[in-house]
Amino acid sequence: MIRFEEGENCFNYRVVGVAVHENFVLLHQAEGEDFWTFPGGRAEFGETAEQTLKREMREELAVDVEIIRLLWFVENFFTYADKRYHEIALYFLMQFPVSSKYLVRSGSFPCEEEGSKLIFQWFPCQPELLSKLPLLPSFLPTALQELPEFVQHVIQHDQ
């Protein structure tokens, strides 16, 4: 995976999938975390961003997604677990197959990947609800209200 550490600093390259279905959006969190994010993961060397996202969705949910388009190129700066992160993240709009058992289920559903437990859940894509969620990066509750037609470059500083 493409991640480099130098002392208290960490560089991370992440590829993210944004699934919206019937005005619900799919989020996930690692078990024990107090915030939600979009599913995805770190790219492997020699792997394209789309290959990374498809691999991550197969590993996490055993589903083959369709990549629609790139939404956001994000430079994300934040602190996590006593490390200062400089993260480059590509956010792709993705679509689950119509036959997927994961399309808009009520409640959460767990998954395990490489010993880590993840919790997935569909949330209504409503600004008043999303803005109350601890959804990171923090530009997302607003940005989800109108997905861009063309790639947007976002620089985000979260604490």
Side-chain angles (χ1 to χ4, degrees):
M1 73 184 87
I2 302 177
R3 173 189 160 117
F4 302 98
E5 289 190 36
E6 185 177 292
E8 295 178 359
N9 298 309
C10 184
F11 172 81
N12 195 42
Y13 171 46
R14 186 165 188 261
V15 182
V16 182
V18 177
V20 180
H21 185 75
E22 296 178 359
N23 208 33
F24 282 78
V25 63
L26 182 65
L27 303 177
H28 86 322
Q29 67 180 181
E31 186 176 64
E33 294 291 353
D34 61 354
F35 60 90
W36 293 88
T37 62
F38 280 100
R42 295 184 192 104
E44 301 288 344
F45 283 100
E47 187 176 58
T48 69
E50 289 186 4
Q51 289 170 333
T52 296
L53 184 54
K54 288 181 177 192
R55 175 184 51 78
E56 287 290 336
M57 293 300 93
R58 278 192 303 274
E59 289 174 359
E60 294 175 4
L61 295 173
V63 67
D64 288 316
V65 297
E66 178 185 354
I67 309 296
I68 308 298
R69 69 177 185 277
L70 181 62
L71 298 172
W72 299 291
F73 175 92
V74 179
E75 295 180 69
N76 192 15
F77 299 89
F78 60 96
T79 301
Y80 176 76
D82 298 324
K83 293 215 180 268
R84 289 182 304 207
Y85 278 78
H86 179 160
E87 179 178 79
I88 300 296
L90 302 178
Y91 284 73
F92 286 91
L93 182 61
M94 68 179 181
Q95 186 172 339
F96 282 74
V98 175
S99 61
S100 174
K101 66 180 180 180
Y102 295 113
L103 281 180
V104 189
R105 296 172 52 170
S106 61
S108 61
F109 48 100
C111 147
E112 191 166 328
E113 182 193 22
E114 297 179 6
S116 294
K117 292 186 179 182
L118 299 173
I119 300 161
F120 288 80
Q121 187 170 332
W122 289 93
F123 288 90
C125 197
Q126 300 167 352
E128 61 277 359
L129 174 72
L130 293 175
S131 64
K132 292 178 184 168
L133 277 179
L135 174 58
L136 295 175
S138 61
F139 80 95
L140 288 170
T142 302
L144 283 169
Q145 300 314 304
E146 189 170 332
L147 296 179
E149 289 296 320
F150 302 98
V151 179
Q152 291 182 347
H153 176 208
V154 176
I155 300 172
Q156 181 66 46
H157 293 268
D158 282 320
Q159 295 304 318

